[in-house]
Amino acid sequence: MKLAYAALAAASLATLSQPAVAQQAQAPSAQQMAPVSDAELENFVIAASMIGQIQRSEEIAGAEKEKAAMQVLSQAQMTPQRFNTIGAALQTSETLQARVDQTLARLKKEQAEG
């Protein structure tokens, strides 16, 4: 899935490290959760970036922000629970954080080349 790479330019890692969807899930630790594939991690990074932009937007009303975030997750083929689980695991897993950094670098490089 290739959502708008332009969204990555405005993304901050702070957005990625905190659950952004209102439906909070009890997240297992990084060791207990199902493995995150490279494709799923890419979808997470892009979705987190786009959701962060939605949350910061002053043009979108509060109630519409969650609806828009849910639409982004749907496009990313990710449930709110899985999104929040990955976000929570990022807070404690240096390995997952390093993979996110690599994914961001690769996506930014692809954006610059394409």
Side-chain angles (χ1 to χ4, degrees):
M1 176 192 74
K2 303 289 183 210
L3 295 174
Y5 285 134
L8 289 174
S12 69
L13 288 176
T15 300
L16 298 177
S17 67
Q18 52 188 314
V21 178
Q23 296 178 356
Q24 296 295 318
Q26 288 298 97
S29 71
Q31 291 82 14
Q32 296 171 330
M33 69 181 247
V36 181
S37 70
D38 290 341
E40 185 179 33
L41 191 60
E42 179 176 323
N43 289 350
F44 172 85
V45 167
I46 295 169
S49 172
M50 294 176 78
I51 289 170
Q53 288 182 353
I54 290 167
Q55 289 179 336
R56 290 186 299 273
S57 174
E58 295 179 9
E59 298 174 10
I60 302 173
E64 292 299 312
K65 288 182 179 185
E66 184 168 347
K67 183 178 178 183
M70 295 303 290
Q71 186 175 13
V72 167
L73 289 180
S74 176
Q75 289 174 331
Q77 301 176 352
M78 186 171 288
T79 66
Q81 181 179 19
R82 182 65 173 166
F83 179 86
N84 288 338
T85 298
I86 294 170
L90 271 172
Q91 295 178 7
T92 59
S93 172
E94 290 180 16
T95 302
L96 194 55
Q97 291 168 7
R99 288 183 61 206
V100 165
D101 291 343
Q102 291 171 349
T103 299
L104 278 170
R106 181 179 50 76
L107 289 173
K108 287 179 182 180
K109 181 180 177 186
E110 288 175 6
Q111 180 183 12
E113 292 174 352

